[in-house]
């Protein structure tokens, strides 16, 4: 029966709760991507590891000093592997990454608005949880107070043109909408740090129109998630089709 299928689908999906920005973004690609993400089948990249280290250095400097050390050893050498084995509680950065992080921290102090925004937050790496339209969500806000939230991001190019494109492609407006729903805090800032010289720091605030776009997309994805049957379906239900027709993109 339809009721039986619905109960079965709900039970299959329960093991994937709570949702998060990252998992919902994968669901927007396809349920198969969502399941792979939830089963931890995606691997970290060098850029992701560097971004995590920058986050720690900027937002939790004391923790960074305890956990990270520089090394000039290459990751695929026996000497590096021995170093890691001898220091299981440490994460090792290349000399160039270590220098880049020091430059980013220095530039952050020189960007008055970004520095003031971060200094004005009384909660760092704040866990936020709650339900949105009956679905459990959780996330971590980089920095926040009662008036605004900040997401600190590393990027190759922090210019308005290039980062604007990246912010759209990575659905940061959706992230903002989720955190808005979970916290009730209205203003959402992104502070970018370029991952290469000159390591420019740039603050951005999301417009109300952009935030509303995120809210609409969030509600649509939640609706799709509720309707999902719990199976690992590919792109746009691709298991129902043998192939797609590929045409030139609209901009071509």
């Amino acid at each position: 029966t339809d009721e039986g299928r619905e109960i079965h689908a709900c039970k299959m999906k329960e093991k994937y709760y709570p949702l998060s920005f990252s998992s919902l973004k994968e669901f927007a690609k396809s349920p198969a991507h969502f399941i792979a993400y939830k089963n931890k089948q995606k691997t970290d990249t060098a850029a992701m590891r560097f971004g995590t280290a920058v986050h720690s250095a900027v937002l939790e400097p004391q923790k960074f000093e305890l956990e990270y050390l520089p090394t000039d050893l290459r990751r695929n050498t026996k000497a590096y592997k021995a170093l890691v084995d001898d220091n299981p509680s440490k994460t090792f950065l290349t000399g160039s990454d270590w220098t880049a992080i020091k430059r980013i921290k220095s530039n952050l102090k020189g960007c008055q608005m970004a520095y003031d925004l971060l200094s004005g937050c009384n909660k760092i790496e704040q866990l936020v949880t709650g339900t949105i339209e009956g679905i459990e969500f959780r996330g971590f806000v980089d920095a926040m107070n009662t008036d605004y939230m900040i997401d600190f991001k590393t990027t190759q190019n922090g210019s308005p043109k290039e980062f604007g494109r990246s912010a759209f492609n990575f659905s940061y407006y959706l992230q903002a909408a989720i955190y808005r729903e979970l916290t009730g805090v209205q203003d959402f800032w992104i502070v970018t740090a370029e991952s290469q010289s000159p390591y420019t720091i740039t603050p951005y605030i999301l417009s109300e129109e952009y935030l509303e776009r995120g809210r609409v997309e969030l509600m649509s994805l939640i609706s799709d998630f509720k309707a999902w049957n719990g199976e690992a379906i590919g792109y746009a239900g691709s298991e129902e089709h043998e192939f797609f027709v590929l045409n030139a993109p609209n901009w071509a």
Side-chain angles (χ1 to χ4, degrees), residues 44 49 71 75 121 130 167 189 194 212 224 226 228 250:
D44 288 346
R49 291 192 295 270
T71 180
R75 293 175 65 90
C121 293
W189 288 82
E194 290 182 337
E212 176 60 18
D224 290 343
K226 288 180 176 180
W228 173 45
N250 292 333

Side-chain angles (χ1 to χ4, degrees), residues 181-200:
E181 292 287 331
L182 294 178
T183 66
V185 178
Q186 297 302 298
D187 286 350
F188 190 90
W189 288 82
I190 297 176
V191 174
T192 66
E194 290 182 337
S195 56
Q196 54 196 8
S197 185
Y199 308 106
T200 303

Side-chain angles (χ1 to χ4, degrees), residues 67 69 81-92:
E67 293 185 358
L69 286 174
K81 293 176 182 177
L83 182 65
V84 171
D85 290 341
D86 291 340
N87 299 273
S89 64
K90 301 292 184 181
T91 300
F92 292 93

